Amino acid sequence: MSERINEQRRRLLSSLAMAAAALPLLRVGTAQAASLPHLTLDDPTAKALHYTENASQLDPKTQPAYKPGADCANCQLYQGDRKAAWGPCAVFPGKDVKASGWCSSHVDMSS
Ligand code: SF4
């Protein structure tokens, strides 16, 4: 009987140790997901795609690809939390784009 209890204790302690060891890994994964470098306006691809951090300042007369109301937060290629200020984008791997931004690769959510 005491061998059985000892075995149960050993399993419990082993499980707790593994869970404790995994905690820092979970924290690192969360931090990395939330801390990509911001895409800069002087990035060559950003320039080529007319990326801006403030879509509301675009004028469809001077930027015909822009449709009023379009921004990164309502683009199908945006991969972040749509309520966050910045998030990843499929077009700019390894960078966060501004949710209020826009580029000419914008894909409307209803498309
Ligand atoms: Fe923003 Fe979409 Fe352009 Fe990415 S593809 S920068 S989410 S508009």
Side-chain angles (χ1 to χ4, degrees), residues 51 71-72 75 77-78 89 91-92 97 101-107:
Y51 172 75
D71 62 19
C72 292
C75 173
L77 302 174
Y78 189 71
C89 163
V91 175
F92 301 100
V97 298
W102 177 90
C103 85
S104 58
S105 291
H106 184 273
V107 180

